[in-house]
């Protein structure tokens, strides 16, 4: 099935094929690294242990804790006098004394390993205890004659329970023995200038660190591996882009009078950035090329208005437009706002979700097929096979980050010829934009609509929960509506749910009109609860993070987020964006665990002190690393394993330029370097990208 070169086969084998890995070990490795041999390669050491420090004992007095290798004469054994104390072995090198200490020790075994009167070389962590030097449980023990067998530098791997450093290192060695020598895909001049080793050499170097510098992201071997990953990413996007450029689009002329009528339907004046985004989009639509544009706008920046006016342009050209939302709730919300605007100017809107069945659905399908539905709103259900449009000219994907890059690829593959506008509220740090949207043109909404008041964000220790609850009572009395967001327990909906249900029970006991919203509810139930909250029949909405994106209830002015420290900053920002949408003053309370460290508190204060989504996401990136930013699944950010965008910014830009240059010169990747680059794409499982090559 796959065109993957055979030379990569060893990398795609299961970890259990590595000598010395049994079923139990293979589970542990899968957990900590991944299921394949290549995952082991990508599982890079997080540090090194340097055993080259081999001082005289005298010189260790007053030295802070260190790892050292020392040779001593064994002078005596001292079994513990009471349980709970360690077994001690005293030794000296003539300049000072040291105790080797062992908890839960077996005396007979130690007597054999450390015979009194003989010399031993031991390596391990040196501690100071009551003014004495000691080494608890040495990592290595040898005779002085075989001391060279103690590794000078050892990699330190991220572990999981049941997996030790020694075992990890051994398995890694065995895995690296299978490493193939691949043809070089780097540009020779660039490689030489950057002093980047060959691919297999780079892996050897990072797994067999020569010194501390090998774990730095700046090390040439690490930079090489990072570059490979980024280049695979950029090449994929460049291929998508070329492919898109070749797709015929259609020139949509639009209808100026319909457009003006639609503009007049809004109860507000558009912001400057809304206006310029719409102008850019209309210009694209008028061109005979297929549009691929990203509309990036912080929460509440008014993307829906831009979407609506873009659709108007398509409709003015005699065609249909569709907007796809990631959830039923959002689709229903669009139905309300877009539906109201459309009704004012006599356009028909149909909303199709997975919930619609039978006759109602058939009727909708018919109006979509005969063209009487001008605007079609929906969820994934829009892309079912039996949904046939009369003439679909524009597809808008809302909250694209919920779908992920992969789904965009799939959509693209579906061979849609319509123009595409994707919208996202994730303000991606500038450094990352290229890695996610390198193939698209970008419009940005960077102002908030007029009249918005800043949100008053406060950090409150959860010890003050009672005060917060009393505050809510006062808010309810003045007619405010409240979101109560429950903690993300882990990546498990079940546990999140339990926490939310418990909080709901507690809140219902105390307040009258409380609703519960979570991801496990049926779409109809969710809508019913949301509706009630939007209509003001509920004062408090307790929920999991399902309210994260898009939901728009201007009367909601209070948000409480429990265990705020468990969220990513960008995610907190998204959540907070649900309030501060009306003209009233809004308050966001970030409840944090009272035991929170100062550093963690400082992290949260970024949110308190800024409402600038771009700034916050940059900080988030700095503090947490890209993959974790929002929980990758939600963020739609590519999960880099070797590249660290915060360190490798220059590599991102170079990979972007490199990829374009490569395809300019060798669009089908058929040159020698081109073929090596195909291997690179397979290595990073960009098989989809290879499909874009005609002779793939
Ligand atoms: P998002 O970009 O998060 O999707 P929405 O499109 O839901 O934002 O808009 C948020 C709120 O701002 C809505 O209530 C919308 O009616 C309002 N809004 C949008 N544009 C403007 C504007 N130019 N002036 C005033 N209010 C606006
Ligand atoms: Mg929106």
């Amino acid at each position: 099935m796959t065109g993957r070169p055979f030379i990569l086969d060893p990398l795609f084998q299961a970890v259990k094929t590595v000598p010395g890995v049994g079923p139990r070990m293979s589970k542990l490795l899968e957990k900590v690294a991944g299921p394949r041999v290549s995952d082991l390669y990508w599982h890079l050491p997080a540090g090194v242990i340097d055993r080259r420090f081999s001082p005289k004992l005298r010189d260790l007095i007053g030295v802070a804790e260190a790892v050292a290798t020392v040779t001593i004469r064994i002078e005596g054994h001292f079994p513990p006098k009471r349980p709970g104390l360690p077994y001690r072995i005293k030794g000296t090198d003539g300049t000072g004394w040291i105790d080797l200490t062992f908890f839960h020790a077996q005396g007979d075994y130690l007597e054999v390993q450390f015979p009194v009167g003989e010399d031993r070389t031991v390596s391990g962590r040196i501690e100071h205890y009551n003014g004495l030097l000691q080494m608890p449980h040495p990592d290595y023990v040898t005779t002085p004659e075989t001391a060279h067998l103690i590794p000078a530098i050892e990699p330190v791997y991220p572990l999981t329970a049941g997996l030790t450093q020694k075992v990890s290192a051994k398995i890694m060695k065995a895995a690296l023995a299978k490493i193939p020598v691949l043809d070089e895909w780097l540009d020779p001049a660039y490689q030489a200038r950057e002093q980047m080793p060959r691919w297999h050499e780079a892996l050897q170097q990072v797994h067999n660190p020569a010194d501390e510098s090998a774990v730095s992201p700046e090390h040439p071997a690490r930079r090489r591996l990072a570059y490979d990953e980024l280049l695979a990413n950029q090449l994929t996007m460049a291929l998508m882009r070329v492919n898109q450029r070749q797709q015929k689009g259609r020139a949509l002329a639009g209808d100026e009078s319909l457009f003006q009528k639609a503009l007049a339907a809004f109860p507000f004046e558009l912001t400057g950035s809304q206006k310029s985004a719409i102008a850019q989009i209309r210009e694209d639509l008028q061109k005979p090329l297929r549009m691929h544009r990203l509309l990036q706008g912080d929460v509440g920046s008014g993307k829906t208005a831009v979407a609506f006016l873009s659709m108007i342009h398509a409709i003015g050209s005699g065609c249909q437009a569709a907007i796809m939302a990631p959830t039923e709730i959002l689709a229903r919300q669009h139905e309300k706002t877009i539906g109201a605007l459309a009704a004012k100017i006599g356009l028909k809107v149909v909303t199709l979700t997975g919930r619609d069945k039978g006759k109602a659905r058939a009727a909708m399908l018919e109006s979509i097929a005969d063209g009487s539905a001008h605007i079609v709103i929906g969820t994934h259900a829009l892309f079912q096979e039996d949904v046939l449009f009369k003439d679909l000219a524009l597809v808008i994907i809302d909250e694209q980050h919920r779908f992920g890059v992969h789904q965009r690829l799939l959509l693209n593959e579906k061979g849609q010829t319509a123009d595409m506008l994707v919208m996202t509220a994730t303000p991606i740090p500038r450094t990352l934009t290229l890695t996610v949207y390198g193939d698209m043109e970008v419009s940005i909404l960077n102002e908030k609509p007029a009249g918005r008041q800043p949100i008053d964000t406060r950090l409150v220790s959860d010890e003050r929960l009672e005060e917060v609850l009393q505050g809510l009572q006062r808010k309810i009395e003045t007619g405010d509506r409240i979101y109560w967001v429950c903690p993300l327990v882990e990546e498990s909906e079940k546990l999140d749910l339990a926490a939310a249900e418990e909080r709901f029970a507690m809140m219902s006991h105390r307040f009258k009109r409380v609703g519960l919203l979570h991801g496990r509810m049926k779409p109809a139930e969710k809508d019913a609860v949301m509706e009630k909250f939007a209509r003001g029949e509920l004062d408090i909405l307790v929920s999991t993070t399902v309210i994260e994106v898009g939901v728009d209830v201007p009367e909601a002015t209070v948000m409480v987020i429990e265990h705020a420290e468990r969220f990513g900053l960008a995610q907190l920002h998204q959540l907070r964006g649900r309030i501060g949408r009306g003209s009233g003053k809004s308050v966001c309370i970030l409840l944090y665990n009272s035991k929170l460290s100062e550093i963690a508190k400082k992290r949260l204060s970024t949110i308190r002190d800024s409402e600038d989504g771009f700034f916050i996401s940059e900080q988030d990136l700095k503090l947490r690393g890209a993959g974790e930013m929002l929980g990758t699944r939600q963020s739609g950010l590519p999960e880099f394993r070797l590249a660290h965008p915060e360190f490798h910014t220059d590599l991102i830009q170079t990979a972007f330029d490199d990829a374009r240059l490569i395809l300019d010169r060798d669009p089908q990747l058929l040159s020698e370097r081109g073929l090596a680059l195909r291997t690179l794409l397979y290595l990073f499982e960009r098989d989809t990208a290879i499909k874009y090559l005609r002779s793939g």
Side-chain angles (χ1 to χ4, degrees):
M1 276 295 286
T2 157
R4 193 172 67 215
F6 296 127
I7 192 163
L8 292 180
D9 285 354
L11 277 78
F12 284 80
Q13 285 167 354
V15 288
K16 67 165 191 279
T17 60
V18 175
V21 176
R24 194 186 71 89
M25 190 52 60
S26 130
K27 278 219 185 68
L28 294 175
L29 291 173
E30 261 180 52
K31 188 163 160 210
V32 73
R36 300 198 191 116
V37 172
S38 60
D39 294 314
L40 296 181
Y41 293 168
W42 305 157
H43 187 61
L44 305 187
V48 298
I49 300 175
D50 189 338
R51 303 192 182 281
R52 289 174 303 180
F53 182 43
S54 113
K56 288 284 162 212
L57 290 177
R58 176 183 54 212
D59 300 329
L60 280 170
I61 309 289
V63 170
E65 263 190 25
V67 171
T69 304
V70 291
T71 299
I72 50 174
R73 168 138 317 154
I74 306 301
E75 296 286 347
H77 282 241
F78 302 89
K81 293 212 180 70
R82 282 186 281 116
L85 291 177
Y87 188 108
R88 293 183 172 273
I89 298 175
K90 278 205 182 299
T92 178
D93 68 350
T95 73
W97 290 82
I98 190 165
D99 278 4
L100 310 179
T101 57
F102 299 85
F103 285 90
H104 313 293
Q106 288 189 314
D108 351 347
Y109 172 73
L110 291 175
E111 305 245 357
V112 175
Q113 230 194 348
F114 297 95
V116 174
E118 285 193 22
D119 287 347
R120 286 291 179 269
T121 301
V122 291
S123 183
R125 199 161 36 87
I126 304 271
E127 291 177 354
H128 303 271
Y129 179 78
N130 280 347
L132 292 174
L133 284 179
Q134 66 179 31
M135 182 184 289
H137 298 264
D139 302 325
Y140 292 91
V141 180
T142 67
T143 59
E145 296 72 43
T146 51
H148 60 276
L149 295 177
I150 298 175
I153 312 262
E154 268 181 315
V156 177
Y157 288 101
L159 297 177
T160 184
L163 192 64
T164 64
Q165 285 306 345
K166 268 191 193 161
V167 169
S168 298
K170 215 174 100 206
I171 290 169
M172 219 47 99
K173 275 222 159 55
L176 285 169
K178 291 179 160 219
I179 201 167
V181 176
L182 304 176
D183 290 336
E184 187 55 71
W185 50 72
L186 292 185
D187 171 58
Y190 179 67
Q191 183 181 9
R193 196 170 69 231
E194 293 282 328
Q195 301 184 324
M196 289 176 171
R198 296 284 305 273
W199 178 75
H200 60 279
E201 289 167 354
L203 280 174
Q204 293 287 3
Q205 286 177 22
V206 298
H207 286 288
N208 302 299
D211 54 43
E212 184 94 53
S213 79
V215 292
S216 152
E218 308 298 345
H219 189 276
R222 293 236 172 190
R223 276 171 64 81
R224 147 118 224 183
L225 297 175
Y227 188 75
D228 291 343
E229 187 173 38
L230 292 166
L231 184 59
N233 169 272
Q234 286 303 328
L235 202 54
T236 304
M237 303 245 236
L239 281 165
M240 275 172 71
R241 188 187 166 90
V242 169
N243 180 267
Q244 286 159 4
R245 287 279 149 102
Q246 287 162 354
Q247 292 165 356
K248 280 232 173 55
R250 46 205 287 205
L252 302 174
D255 175 344
E256 194 54 34
S257 86
L258 179 68
F259 187 81
Q260 291 305 328
K261 252 171 49 186
L263 206 51
F266 284 99
F268 47 72
E269 171 86 6
L270 296 182
T271 64
S273 54
Q274 280 172 322
K275 283 182 191 158
S276 55
I278 290 162
Q280 287 167 344
I281 292 163
R282 295 183 79 196
E283 202 179 307
D284 281 359
L285 294 175
Q286 278 160 4
K287 287 185 192 151
L289 291 170
R290 193 174 166 202
M291 174 173 80
H292 289 273
R293 185 172 282 277
L294 170 74
L295 179 64
Q296 198 177 10
D298 208 345
V299 280
S301 59
K303 293 184 290 293
T304 318
V306 176
F308 179 69
L309 289 168
S310 309
M311 294 198 278
I312 291 300
H313 185 97
I315 294 160
S317 317
C319 311
Q320 293 166 292
I323 178 163
M324 181 167 86
T327 61
E328 176 102 19
I329 292 180
L330 287 184
R332 293 294 161 203
Q333 186 178 295
H334 283 324
E335 176 179 36
K336 225 166 75 187
T337 52
I338 294 176
L341 291 164
K344 281 196 193 167
I345 51 177
L347 296 179
K348 178 167 173 172
V349 175
V350 157
T351 306
L352 187 72
T353 69
R355 218 166 88 199
D356 302 298
K357 303 254 149 65
K359 272 199 191 136
R361 181 165 192 273
M364 283 188 214
L365 290 185
E366 199 177 314
S367 67
I368 296 172
D370 69 17
S372 57
H374 301 101
I375 294 178
V376 183
I377 299 169
T379 53
H380 299 77
L382 273 188
F383 292 94
Q384 281 160 2
E385 272 170 37
D386 57 348
V387 183
L388 297 172
F389 287 82
K390 175 151 187 272
D391 188 7
L392 179 63
L394 172 64
V395 175
I396 300 179
I397 303 175
D398 193 15
E399 305 299 353
Q400 133 80 24
H401 65 286
R402 277 293 185 100
F403 293 104
V405 181
H406 189 66
Q407 264 141 325
R408 188 150 61 84
L409 270 164
L410 288 181
L411 255 182
N412 216 27
E413 262 184 45
K414 255 181 149 345
Q416 302 280 347
T417 56
D419 286 307
M420 271 233 264
L421 176 68
V422 302
M423 310 202 290
T424 180
T426 313
I428 295 168
R430 264 162 283 276
T431 40
L432 279 181
T433 314
L434 283 183
T435 68
V436 190
Y437 298 113
D439 61 315
M440 308 187 104
E441 317 291 339
V442 182
S443 297
I444 292 179
L445 298 186
N446 55 9
E447 344 169 24
K448 292 225 151 79
R452 294 276 168 80
Q453 295 203 30
I455 298 172
D456 177 6
T457 302
R458 299 177 198 169
L459 306 187
V460 178
S461 157
D462 59 10
E463 285 170 339
R464 289 166 56 198
L465 182 67
E466 181 52 37
E467 268 171 70
V468 170
L469 291 171
Q470 283 169 13
L472 293 191
Q473 185 57 48
R474 290 192 294 275
K475 283 285 181 188
I476 291 171
E477 280 157 18
T478 55
D480 288 274
R481 264 168 254 170
I482 297 153
Y483 288 113
W484 186 286
V485 183
C486 290
L488 209 59
V489 178
E490 23 179 282
E491 292 278 287
S492 147
E493 255 186 50
K494 229 192 208 158
L495 291 175
D496 290 355
L497 180 55
E501 273 173 341
E502 195 177 311
R503 182 56 75 201
F504 171 68
M506 181 271 214
M507 298 288 272
S508 320
H509 193 68
R510 182 156 181 156
F511 300 100
K512 277 200 209 76
R513 307 188 311 158
V514 184
L516 174 66
L517 185 73
H518 59 76
R520 291 275 179 103
M521 284 160 69
K522 295 215 179 71
E525 297 168 348
K526 278 194 218 163
D527 289 355
V529 175
M530 255 342 277
E531 268 299 315
K532 272 182 150 178
F533 185 65
R535 275 204 304 266
E537 290 165 24
L538 295 174
D539 298 320
I540 302 180
L541 186 64
V542 176
S543 84
T544 55
T545 52
V546 289
I547 53 151
E548 187 186 332
V549 287
V551 176
D552 190 31
V553 179
E555 296 83 1
T557 56
V558 181
M559 175 173 283
V560 181
I561 304 178
E562 276 190 74
H563 281 294
E565 73 277 3
R566 294 186 189 166
F567 294 85
L569 293 184
Q571 196 180 17
L572 286 173
H573 176 66
Q574 297 267 322
L575 283 166
R576 181 176 59 178
R578 303 300 113 230
I579 57 171
R581 304 194 139 226
S583 48
K585 185 126 191 76
S586 292
V587 185
C588 177
I589 295 174
L590 303 179
L591 281 179
Y592 62 84
N593 186 310
S594 54
K595 294 186 199 75
L596 205 60
S597 71
E598 280 309 308
I599 292 177
K601 250 183 250 173
K602 207 162 161 226
R603 187 173 83 88
L604 283 182
S605 63
T606 309
I607 289 283
R608 182 191 57 205
D609 301 338
S610 172
E611 273 192 66
D612 177 346
F614 281 100
F615 174 75
I616 290 169
S617 67
E618 300 271 4
Q619 297 303 311
D620 206 17
L621 177 67
K622 275 197 200 132
L623 291 166
R624 298 180 50 158
E628 275 180 274
M629 243 191 13
L630 272 170
T632 327
R633 262 191 354 209
Q634 278 177 13
S635 68
L637 291 173
E639 199 173 345
F640 291 120
R641 302 184 64 177
L642 305 167
H644 295 280
E646 65 275 38
F647 295 112
H648 296 142
T649 316
D650 66 316
L651 299 183
I652 294 176
Q653 184 63 50
T654 310
F656 176 80
D657 297 336
D658 199 7
R660 290 185 171 213
L661 206 63
I662 289 165
L663 293 185
D664 278 350
R665 292 191 189 146
D666 181 14
Q668 292 301 317
L669 297 184
L670 290 172
S671 68
E672 202 177 320
R673 185 178 177 210
L675 294 176
L677 283 160
R678 286 178 181 231
T679 306
L680 171 71
L681 289 172
Y682 279 116
L683 178 61
F684 285 98
E685 294 175 81
R686 302 300 178 129
D687 301 29
T688 342
I690 306 250
K691 285 194 199 139
Y692 289 127
L693 299 166
R694 242 166 294 134
S695 40

